[in-house]
Amino acid sequence: MRWIRSRNVPPPTEDSGDADLLRAVAGQQVEALQLLHRRHAPWLRSRLARRCADPDVVDAAIQDTFVAIWRGAHRFTETDSDAAAWIWTIAIRRLLSTLRGAGYRWQSIPVPEVPEQSRTAPSAEEVVLLGVEHGDLGGALSRLSPELRSIIQATVLDGLTVREAAVLLGVPEGTAKTRLMRAKTRLREYLT
């Protein structure tokens, strides 16, 4: 297949912004996709690995994400969202599709304990959720225990079912249901 370059989009450079790179990808410039991949694949891998302990599934989701970006870059508009947020939305949906797919068998994968000194800083998503931009909700979420906050993150933010969240968090499905019920109750109490 021969790639066609768009005449209206300048060639991408390392200094090109994400929105410019997405325009170039929409114009079928392979170099732009390569730059986006180098720029975004590492943090996508890190964030997806927090939601799925199977590195093969994470890698498949990242590959599917960039295929989807190649095919759908023309759908991105700067007024919709930040380019990184748009890419993250594709990535998390690809991860969920992979996990829900017929070829994937749910199983518990042991996650090694990360020593305190090597833990990473909170993700931008966590900072925003706990920040002032969300007003009362941010304060209410910050008051939840880590177990309750993680079930809210898995089910509400990432769109997992309770069963999928239970596998992801390594707890029985009944425990996940109970934690979700408790988290919702506590959030209602905090917000009223």
Side-chain angles (χ1 to χ4, degrees):
M1 176 177 214
R2 189 169 160 234
W3 302 113
I4 302 167
R5 288 186 179 261
S6 172
R7 295 169 198 225
N8 300 342
V9 181
T13 67
E14 289 287 338
D15 297 328
S16 298
D18 289 342
D20 295 329
L21 290 175
L22 285 169
R23 274 192 292 279
V25 170
Q28 298 190 347
Q29 293 187 24
V30 177
E31 300 85 4
L33 184 66
Q34 292 170 336
L35 284 168
L36 277 173
H37 187 273
R38 276 198 304 272
R39 190 176 290 174
H40 293 283
W43 70 263
L44 286 172
R45 180 169 284 104
S46 174
R47 289 190 66 195
L48 292 175
R50 288 179 159 186
R51 287 153 177 82
C52 177
D54 187 337
D56 293 333
V57 172
V58 170
D59 287 342
I62 291 172
Q63 180 177 355
D64 289 349
T65 297
F66 284 95
V67 169
I69 290 169
W70 177 256
R71 292 179 179 161
H74 64 279
R75 293 187 191 106
F76 175 77
T77 58
E78 289 183 71
T79 57
D80 284 345
S81 65
D82 174 54
W86 186 76
I87 292 170
W88 168 249
T89 301
I90 294 170
I92 193 66
R93 287 181 180 165
R94 295 298 167 172
L95 176 66
L96 295 175
S97 294
T98 303
L99 292 174
R100 290 179 181 152
Y104 186 78
R105 293 182 306 130
W106 284 100
Q107 55 187 343
S108 180
I109 300 170
V111 179
E113 182 61 34
V114 179
E116 188 67 37
Q117 67 271 18
S118 67
R119 290 193 180 152
T120 59
S123 68
E125 177 181 78
E126 292 164 337
V127 170
V128 169
L129 278 176
L130 299 176
V132 225
E133 293 97 49
H134 289 283
D136 295 337
L137 181 58
L141 285 170
S142 68
R143 292 174 63 188
L144 291 176
S145 68
E147 295 83 15
L148 299 183
R149 194 170 36 247
S150 65
I151 192 73
I152 289 289
Q153 178 181 2
T155 56
V156 176
L157 299 177
D158 294 343
L160 296 175
T161 65
V162 174
R163 178 176 171 239
E164 293 165 340
V167 172
L168 179 70
L169 298 172
V171 298
E173 187 175 349
T175 302
K177 286 179 183 178
T178 302
R179 286 182 183 176
L180 183 58
M181 183 181 68
R182 284 181 26 223
K184 288 179 178 181
T185 301
R186 295 251 168 78
L187 284 173
R188 273 189 221 103
E189 290 170 1
Y190 297 155
L191 293 172
T192 54

